[in-house]
Amino acid sequence: QKEVEQNSGPLSVPEGAIASLNCTYSDRGSQSFFWYRQYSGKSPELIMFIYSNGDKEDGRFTAQLNKASQYVSLLIRDSQPSDSATYLCAVNTGLTGGGNKLTFGTGTQLKVEL
Amino acid sequence: KAGVTQTPRYLIKTRGQQVTLSCSPISGHRSVSWYQQTPGQGLQFLFEYFSETQRNKGNFPGRFSGRQFSNSRSEMNVSTLELGDSALYLCASSRDLFTEAFFGQGTRLTVV
């Protein structure tokens, strides 16, 4: 089982719709979770950071974390063509007393169609 | 507030050579992590430094090494380059353990 799993997509949604991206992880001790957006040829850009169970909203983005189910999701409301990119889920699998270590999923390609 | 700065942005090296990449983290951030991104393997963790100490290391051969200076700037070195080392090398800056991590623009290394 991979440590961090995402559907590779592509996920296609019409402009203005809600895009829902999902991620599961295997390490129950993981304490912080990230969603990055990466355009082709560019570096990952941090979209959301969450560490507590529940929802966290920032503009059109909402991250949802459920540690019991080992599941983290990202909702993008009012999707725009500029949201078309690869979305990477990352989990900090570092240990307390150790160091940071982000483990990434393979990414979900999102296409927002006009 | 300045972001994470990586230099150089692009490098072309020959097999067998060595290379040094540099990363300057966000001011106040003491943790610097390095990652390799390739189309086949995705993003993979290399190592992490905090206050000049390596705290965590990924599963890469000893040809990959790094260090961190007292001003939190970090360098990574790859010796005896192989064709398979061609990749985008990214560094991430964090204030502390389990906090937000921001990436630099990356260094694209091509080994010929």
Side-chain angles (χ1 to χ4, degrees), chain A residues 29-32 34 36 38 41-46 49 51 56 88 92-106, chain B residues 9 31 33 35 37 43-45 47-48 50 55-59 88 90 92 94 96-106 108:
Chain A
S30 300
Q31 298 196 31
S32 56
F34 306 76
Y36 290 92
Q38 187 174 29
K42 302 295 185 182
S43 66
E45 174 192 6
L46 182 63
F49 165 72
Y51 56 88
K56 179 181 178 181
L88 295 161
N92 195 332
T93 53
L95 299 174
T96 300
N100 290 312
K101 175 186 175 183
L102 296 189
T103 300
F104 285 84
T106 53
Chain B
R9 293 290 309 280
S31 168
S33 304
Y35 296 83
Q37 187 174 31
L43 267 155
Q44 292 188 293
F45 172 77
F47 30 67
E48 187 248 13
F50 183 89
R55 295 195 300 187
N56 217 334
K57 190 176 188 306
N59 296 322
L88 179 65
L90 294 156
S94 299
D96 208 325
L97 189 62
F98 302 136
T99 57
E100 294 171 295
F102 300 91
F103 281 90
Q105 298 285 71
R108 186 163 297 280

Side-chain angles (χ1 to χ4, degrees), chain B residues 12-24:
Chain B
I12 300 176
K13 291 287 189 178
T14 304
R15 270 182 303 175
Q17 287 187 313
Q18 74 166 14
V19 66
T20 299
L21 312 181
S22 178
C23 174
S24 293

